Amino acid sequence: MKRKTIWHLVFCSSILLCLLLVWIIYSLFTVRKAEIISVVNEFNGLNMLYNKNLLLLDENKITSLLLSQNKIYSNLVIRKKFPDILMIDTKLRVPVAYLINKSRKIFIDHDGIYIPNLSNESETYTEIQIPNLLILNLDNIDWRVLKAVKLAVAASKNSIPIARISLDEPSGLYHLFLAGGEEAISSQEQDPYLIAASLQIIISRFRIEGKIISQIKFQYDKPVVVLKSGEKITSI
């Protein structure tokens, strides 16, 4: 009987010690502070981190949840600093274009993601003009805007800055107004990267020849170059 009592005491003591150990580990490694490394002060969703256990925290899952609430960032890197601190390194989305919606600028990155609450007047970006465009949801980009963004990105990679891209809705043609003063016209179906590569070749060629380009029309089988003089040349 005495041996049985001792065994029960040992068993109960072991259970209590295990529970105490679990409690100590949980309380010791509970997230009490999150340090955000960012050049801006905006960060949402921190409330989901507190009282989480640092040992059991799934970095990938938390990263996805935080990115869904912080569209201004393209990537987050989460690091655990034991016993109770979470470090979050941020990478801001880089705008390549913008459009005007309800009298305010909305910036867009190279993936076609709208960047909310960004105010950046120090850089020059391509303005996109789409007729009758109404943005109700920043999570979904209009395909017409995405096409214009791809044109801007492709041109930039070929060192051709575009000041403005405007869509002529009835004809389905994009008008690209280059920073150098030239205008290029392409259809919605054409490949932005082929257009950009052709632009670079045509502009370089005519500059070498000393001819000033007014307009380049890509909507035909072969590009048609219109010079300032009014002369039209079919480019090969």
Side-chain angles (χ1 to χ4, degrees):
M1 184 72 180
K2 186 176 181 181
R3 183 177 295 177
K4 189 176 181 180
T5 303
I6 292 173
W7 186 88
H8 277 297
L9 286 173
V10 171
F11 178 76
C12 291
S13 298
S14 299
I15 295 296
L16 288 172
L17 283 172
C18 288
L19 290 173
L20 180 62
L21 184 61
V22 169
W23 180 83
I24 290 173
I25 292 175
Y26 183 83
S27 60
L28 182 63
F29 294 105
T30 297
V31 177
R32 292 183 173 84
K33 185 179 179 182
E35 295 185 359
I36 314 298
I37 302 172
S38 175
V39 296
V40 297
N41 295 324
E42 179 183 337
F43 203 93
N44 302 315
L46 288 177
N47 57 311
M48 73 172 70
L49 301 175
Y50 297 111
N51 294 323
K52 297 284 187 181
N53 187 275
L54 210 58
L55 293 173
L56 304 176
L57 196 69
D58 186 334
E59 292 101 317
N60 292 331
K61 183 179 179 180
I62 292 297
T63 297
S64 296
L65 289 171
L66 289 174
L67 281 174
S68 68
Q69 297 189 40
N70 295 275
K71 296 293 185 182
I72 197 172
Y73 300 110
S74 63
N75 191 33
L76 301 174
V77 176
I78 294 179
R79 294 181 287 114
K80 298 175 181 179
K81 186 177 180 181
F82 292 100
D84 57 3
I85 298 176
L86 207 60
M87 309 284 293
I88 303 177
D89 289 297
T90 64
K91 183 179 180 181
L92 283 171
R93 293 190 181 279
V94 179
V96 296
Y98 72 93
L99 48 81
I100 305 295
N101 184 62
K102 296 181 179 178
S103 301
R104 73 183 182 97
K105 283 184 179 180
I106 297 181
F107 290 92
I108 313 165
D109 78 348
H110 68 280
D111 291 322
I113 304 296
Y114 290 126
I115 310 174
N117 306 322
L118 178 65
S119 178
N120 194 338
E121 302 296 338
S122 60
E123 300 289 340
T124 302
Y125 304 104
T126 301
E127 180 182 359
I128 295 174
Q129 296 178 339
I130 306 294
N132 304 316
L133 178 68
L134 180 61
I135 300 174
L136 299 176
N137 185 354
L138 290 179
D139 292 329
N140 298 312
I141 190 167
D142 188 289
W143 69 270
R144 298 168 299 173
V145 176
L146 184 58
K147 184 76 175 186
V149 169
K150 289 181 178 179
L151 284 166
V153 171
S156 177
K157 287 183 177 180
N158 283 273
S159 302
I160 303 171
I162 298 178
R164 177 166 52 92
I165 297 176
S166 178
L167 173 63
D168 180 27
E169 195 73 272
S171 65
L173 295 177
Y174 284 97
H175 293 255
L176 288 62
F177 298 92
L178 280 57
E182 304 91 345
E183 178 189 358
I185 304 173
S186 72
S187 68
Q188 296 175 343
E189 295 78 21
Q190 290 175 300
D191 187 324
Y193 288 92
L194 289 178
I195 294 296
S198 297
L199 263 178
Q200 185 183 49
I201 293 170
I202 292 170
I203 291 173
S204 297
R205 170 192 159 189
F206 280 85
R207 280 179 180 171
I208 291 172
E209 295 176 1
K211 297 175 181 178
I212 301 175
I213 296 173
S214 173
Q215 199 176 60
I216 307 171
K217 300 179 180 181
F218 288 101
Q219 68 268 37
Y220 305 113
D221 292 336
K222 293 182 179 180
V224 175
V225 179
V226 181
L227 301 180
K228 286 285 187 182
S229 63
E231 181 185 358
K232 294 182 180 180
I233 302 171
T234 300
S235 178
I236 300 175

